[in-house]
DNA sequence: CCTACCGATCGGTAGG
DNA sequence: CCTACCGATCGGTAGG
């Protein structure tokens, strides 16, 4: 029992540290956040953090890896389903916005702080992000092939522009806005899929 | 003559420092860049920087203010011209991409590093960025009013999504790619204005 | 988890 | 523009 409780407490404290780091990295950036900032947020002295974590970079690795996985887990199953490409894209857009809205600060870390990963961990993160982009590319390619999407599309530019529009939502999206994330995603899909011209 | 040359030299060195800071802030972030990094890039010892500049934050203020001005100068005249809204939007998109492509790192500083401005300078930067967004909002509003754009558009979401797609280009755009910035902007305008559905 | 501390690096300055 | 340096803060550790 004592061991179980200890493990539980330790894991809970680790989670608290990861959460504080996620919010601070998202708000102030990785290099703009000190271990003392994180310790203050958790309510512990700086040196005490190292009983629960390996170091500053290990925090970033965990947050980025977990964050990318959330996007992939939400979107890849939709991309690989059998619905029409246009339907899949709309659902992927909504799923993406739901992940961003679930925690915009985590999303900001995924989008911008991966640059500060070390030489070992950065390639894996870049690879996973590329896999995410590829999921959208596959569906766009399908859609062009079966004439759901415009034949003369520059597919690479279209995917990058679409993903940019989605990712930028972490800058302005507030988790407690009037519109639900799903409604927001639906409206963004309207603009991105159908355009804005009458 | 001597004074003129001195002033010239001093101004040239100031420019070199600003350029080095711009690239480093864009690549490593403001908090991830030390004055020693900047001094190394310029080829001078750290203390020598202070003969030309006031301090680290003064560098950021200059770079951000100048950067926002470039976007406004390129886009506002088009927004306030008398062409059809759809034409204006396409031209604004192209102009925006041309400014990003002219120096993606400066754009990254404008987009992401303004958070590290102090309490005096940040509000002005936020205001100027808002003015930039407003230029797009005005044109979209015009377009909806005269039925060039979809009547059922959520205009705020449409503008934020469009600007996100544009701003994100600083992440992937390479100044020496095969497509010219104007061609790139035109393709992005195709996607953003007309959508991707067939 | 705290006390007490390490060497390294930070932005910036005085004096020449 | 350099020499020489300042106090503050950084990520992290030993020992309890």
């Amino acid at each position: 029992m004592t061991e179980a409780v200890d493990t539980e407490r330790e894991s809970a404290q680790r989670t608290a540290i990861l959460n504080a780091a996620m919010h601070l990295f998202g708000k102030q950036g990785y290099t703009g956040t000190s271990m003392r900032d994180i310790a203050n947020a958790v309510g512990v002295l700086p040196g005490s953090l190292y009983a629960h974590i390996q170091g500053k970079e290990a925090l970033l690795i965990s947050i980025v890896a977990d964050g990318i996985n959330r996007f992939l887990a939400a979107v890849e199953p939709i991309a690989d389903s059998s619905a029409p490409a246009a339907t899949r894209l709309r659902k992927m857009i909504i799923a993406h916005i739901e992940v961003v809205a679930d925690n915009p600060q985590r999303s900001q870390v995924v989008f911008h702080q991966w640059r500060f990963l070390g030489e070992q961990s950065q390639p894996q993160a870049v690879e996973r992000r590329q896999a995410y982009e590829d999921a959208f590319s596959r569906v766009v390619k399908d859609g062009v092939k079966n004439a759901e999407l415009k034949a003369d599309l520059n597919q690479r530019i279209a995917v990058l522009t679409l993903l940019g529009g989605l990712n930028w939502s972490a800058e302005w999206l507030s988790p407690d806005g009037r519109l639900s994330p799903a409604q927001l995603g639906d409206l963004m899909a309207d603009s991105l899929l159908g355009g804005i011209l009458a």
Side-chain angles (χ1 to χ4, degrees), chain A:
Chain A
M1 257 294 281
T2 303
E3 272 181 34
V5 169
D6 281 3
T7 304
E8 207 176 281
R9 200 171 277 157
E10 185 149 322
S11 161
Q13 195 60 320
R14 201 185 122 85
T15 302
I17 293 169
L18 278 165
N19 257 299
M22 190 179 75
H23 279 90
L24 288 164
F25 290 171
K27 193 178 150 214
Q28 310 171 359
Y30 177 71
T31 55
T33 301
S34 70
M35 296 305 279
R36 283 155 178 85
D37 290 337
I38 296 170
N40 278 343
V42 175
V44 102
L45 291 181
S48 304
L49 294 174
Y50 294 86
H52 303 283
I53 58 153
Q54 283 205 347
K56 194 184 181 185
E57 201 200 329
L59 288 175
L60 183 61
I61 292 174
S62 290
I63 295 165
V64 170
D66 169 68
I68 299 178
N69 284 345
R70 286 169 189 262
F71 281 99
L72 278 166
V75 163
E76 265 192 329
I78 304 173
D80 297 333
S81 73
S82 58
T87 305
R88 278 183 281 164
L89 278 176
R90 180 173 292 272
K91 286 185 180 173
M92 289 162 78
I93 290 169
I94 294 171
H96 182 102
I97 297 300
E98 285 178 329
V99 174
V100 173
D102 178 57
N103 198 320
Q105 269 143 338
R106 171 168 49 219
S107 306
Q108 291 286 47
V109 178
V110 172
F111 296 155
H112 300 298
Q113 305 304 313
W114 60 268
R115 289 170 212 273
F116 302 104
L117 289 169
E119 294 186 348
Q120 277 106 40
S121 38
Q122 187 175 114
Q124 298 164 31
V126 170
E127 197 178 290
R128 301 279 284 166
R129 278 175 60 105
Q130 186 60 51
Y132 192 71
E133 184 185 318
D134 290 346
F136 282 84
S137 297
R138 281 200 301 277
V139 179
V140 166
K141 197 176 168 187
D142 282 358
V144 171
K145 191 160 54 181
N146 71 10
E148 284 183 72
L149 303 187
K150 287 178 177 162
D152 64 343
L153 217 56
N154 182 317
Q155 295 183 31
R156 179 173 150 75
I157 304 298
V159 167
L160 288 170
T161 304
L162 183 150
L163 271 174
L166 297 186
N167 288 348
W168 198 263
S169 68
E171 300 279 344
W172 53 265
L173 194 150
S174 95
D176 42 85
R178 306 189 338 277
L179 294 171
S180 73
Q183 289 174 312
L184 226 44
D186 213 42
L187 288 169
M188 294 177 77
D190 288 344
S191 279
L192 290 166
L193 301 180
I196 64 177
L197 297 182

